[in-house]
Amino acid sequence: MNRVPEILLCVVLGVVTLPFFLIACMIVLWSVGAPLMFSQPRCGLSGRIFQLFKLRSMSDARGPDGALLPDDQRQTRATAIIRRLRLDEIPQLLLILQGHMALVGPRPLLPETIESFGPQGQYRCSVRPGLTGWAQVSGNTNLDNQEKLTLDLWYVAHRSTILDLRIMAETVGVAIRGEHRRIDRIDAALQWLKDQPPAKSSLKRTPA
């Protein structure tokens, strides 16, 4: 997507979602307490590190061994709804305006995760990470890590303005109806990856 309409869309989304974000902030303070924001380093375009932040939706509850409890045990019913509606991601609109992220693209991952992907991780980082992406509207939490990576790689190879608009529209539908595995998309992405000639196995690409 061209940068100008992306910025305009970010501003509109920011204005429209601001009241819902303020309500979400109050819910977080009431249900899991301070601090409001969660922050963590993530990989951006060309592997550059930036600080991702989002509304905190889980507590720091730990088990007897001192380890953090599973995600579903650290969130409340209210914060689970916030996560489903993606209200916790609203602060990332600022990161899009700053150029660290895009409205649509592979979700930003930890540097060590990208490094573990090898050449595929480099290819994945040839575009800006997104607020939502092809994997997020194709199953998201119902997908394993390899399926998410394959869908992300397929997106990088096939991305277009039309596809980005489709993903944004489907993101609204996912927030309303919930996440469902799209086997057809997973199979198509796996077949595309399998069909890549050996000479292109590194999947290198000029950053966009």
Side-chain angles (χ1 to χ4, degrees):
M1 183 179 299
N2 186 279
R3 184 70 175 142
V4 174
E6 181 179 67
I7 290 174
L8 291 176
L9 277 172
C10 274
V11 172
V12 172
L13 285 172
V15 172
V16 170
T17 59
L18 181 59
F20 301 99
F21 177 68
L22 294 176
I23 293 172
C25 287
M26 290 187 287
I27 291 173
V28 167
L29 282 175
W30 171 74
S31 58
V32 297
L36 270 178
M37 295 293 172
F38 167 81
S39 178
Q40 197 174 55
R42 299 291 176 95
C43 269
L45 179 64
S46 301
R48 291 192 291 270
I49 307 298
F50 70 96
Q51 203 69 18
L52 178 137
F53 50 92
K54 59 193 295 186
L55 191 61
R56 198 165 69 98
S57 57
M58 292 184 285
S59 70
D60 295 325
R62 298 176 182 270
D65 59 354
L68 286 171
L69 293 174
D71 290 358
D72 60 345
Q73 296 181 34
R74 293 191 292 123
Q75 61 184 352
T76 66
R77 288 185 179 181
T79 59
I81 293 173
I82 288 174
R83 285 170 64 89
R84 175 172 171 172
L85 296 178
R86 309 287 177 90
L87 297 177
D88 58 325
E89 310 284 359
I90 291 175
Q92 291 166 35
L93 291 173
L94 295 174
L95 294 174
I96 297 173
L97 293 175
Q98 293 171 359
H100 295 301
M101 291 179 60
L103 278 172
V104 180
R107 285 294 293 162
L109 299 178
L110 292 166
E112 53 266 32
T113 303
I114 293 296
E115 185 177 357
S116 71
F117 292 157
Q120 291 184 336
Q122 296 175 22
Y123 184 71
R124 191 183 185 279
C125 286
S126 64
V127 300
R128 284 180 294 146
L131 187 66
T132 186
W134 192 233
Q136 281 61 55
V137 297
S138 301
N140 199 20
T141 57
N142 296 315
L143 305 173
D144 61 38
N145 290 335
Q146 186 57 49
E147 289 171 337
K148 288 180 182 179
L149 174 60
T150 304
L151 287 165
D152 287 340
L153 297 175
W154 183 92
Y155 167 80
V156 173
H158 297 84
R159 72 193 188 106
S160 66
T161 299
I162 296 298
L163 180 58
D164 283 359
L165 293 173
R166 176 183 176 183
I167 290 172
M168 285 190 288
E170 289 192 16
T171 299
V172 177
V174 168
I176 296 171
R177 296 188 297 271
E179 298 171 344
H180 302 282
R181 282 173 59 86
R182 291 295 304 268
I183 300 299
D184 55 332
R185 295 178 180 178
I186 298 169
D187 289 345
L190 286 170
Q191 187 60 51
W192 166 80
L193 190 60
K194 181 180 179 182
D195 291 342
Q196 296 307 298
K200 294 184 179 180
S201 59
S202 64
L203 297 177
K204 290 183 179 179
R205 171 193 172 102
T206 301

